[in-house]
């Protein structure tokens, strides 16, 4: 699911966020969807979890296989990403089973946020997500400048 503010001062945003989430879900379902299909869930960066469709995970695995294994930091990152990777199925109601060790890693409590980022979903503890987005919002101008330097923005 997607967590949105449905009550309080930001309640008007809840409907908009829910509508955007529905559009994203409709788009995913239009190209075959994930319901009843397998995904890979693994440790992500910034203390979140990454969820990849099997096809996208295959692309990641291919890229990782070409990294230089002689560098300790490369080996460590590959271990970080792969050692906890677990294949699971998305049930017909859109739920996935998250292993306890991954819940612990991501410090998931009672509420989570699921964010679509490029070719993956990220699962965050709600409070950590709010802290992360506040931090990113404060640094948005800096990121825009850096992206401008490399011609992205």
């Amino acid at each position: 699911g997607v967590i949105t503010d449905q009550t309080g001062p930001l309640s008007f945003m809840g409907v908009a966020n829910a509508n955007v989430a529905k559009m994203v879900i409709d788009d995913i379902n239009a190209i075959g969807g994930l319901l009843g299909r397998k995904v890979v869930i693994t440790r992500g960066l910034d203390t979140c979890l990454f969820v990849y469709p099997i096809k996208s995970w295959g692309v990641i695995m291919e890229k990782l296989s070409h990294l230089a294994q002689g560098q300790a930091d490369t080996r460590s990152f590959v271990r970080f990403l792969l050692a906890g990777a677990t294949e699971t199925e998305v049930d017909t109601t859109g739920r996935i089973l998250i292993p306890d060790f991954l819940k612990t890693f991501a410090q998931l409590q009672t509420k989570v946020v699921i964010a679509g980022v490029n070719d993956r979903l990220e699962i965050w503890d709600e409070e950590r997500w709010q802290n992360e987005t506040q931090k990113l919002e404060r640094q948005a101008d800096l990121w825009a400048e850096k992206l401008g330097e490399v011609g992205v923005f």
Side-chain angles (χ1 to χ4, degrees):
V2 177
I3 291 181
T4 60
D5 295 309
Q6 298 293 333
T7 60
L10 298 177
S11 62
F12 70 94
M13 293 180 65
V15 173
N17 289 343
N19 288 339
V20 170
K22 184 181 179 333
M23 289 185 332
V24 170
I25 290 166
D26 289 346
D27 286 348
I28 290 170
N29 288 333
I31 58 171
L34 291 176
L35 299 181
R37 299 199 181 185
K38 292 190 182 288
V39 295
V40 173
I41 184 168
T42 191
R43 292 182 202 96
L45 304 175
D46 305 311
T47 318
C48 75
L49 300 176
F50 288 169
V51 180
Y52 289 96
I54 290 292
K55 188 174 185 178
S56 295
W57 183 249
V59 172
I60 297 293
M61 293 291 294
E62 177 67 21
K63 289 179 182 180
L64 291 176
S65 72
H66 294 292
L67 293 177
Q69 295 299 309
Q71 295 179 292
D73 58 346
T74 300
R75 289 191 310 275
S76 294
F77 180 73
V78 170
R79 279 188 209 108
F80 170 80
L81 198 62
L82 300 183
T86 303
E87 191 174 291
T88 189
E89 188 171 314
V90 180
D91 74 12
T92 56
T93 61
R95 298 174 301 182
I96 61 171
L97 181 61
I98 301 173
D100 287 340
F101 75 94
L102 290 176
K103 287 182 204 174
T104 300
F105 166 80
Q107 301 171 19
L108 300 181
Q109 300 299 314
T110 56
K111 291 185 178 180
V112 302
V113 174
I114 299 172
V117 180
N118 294 326
D119 61 344
R120 68 180 182 270
L121 298 174
E122 293 182 354
I123 301 175
W124 291 79
D125 173 73
E126 181 183 32
E127 185 175 331
R128 292 187 64 74
W129 172 256
Q130 290 171 351
N131 292 338
E132 183 71 15
T133 56
Q134 288 171 2
K135 181 178 79 174
L136 293 172
E137 288 167 358
R138 287 190 302 270
Q139 298 174 348
D141 292 338
L142 174 65
W143 298 122
E145 286 179 25
K146 293 213 179 279
L147 291 172
E149 292 172 5
V150 295
V152 173
F153 196 66

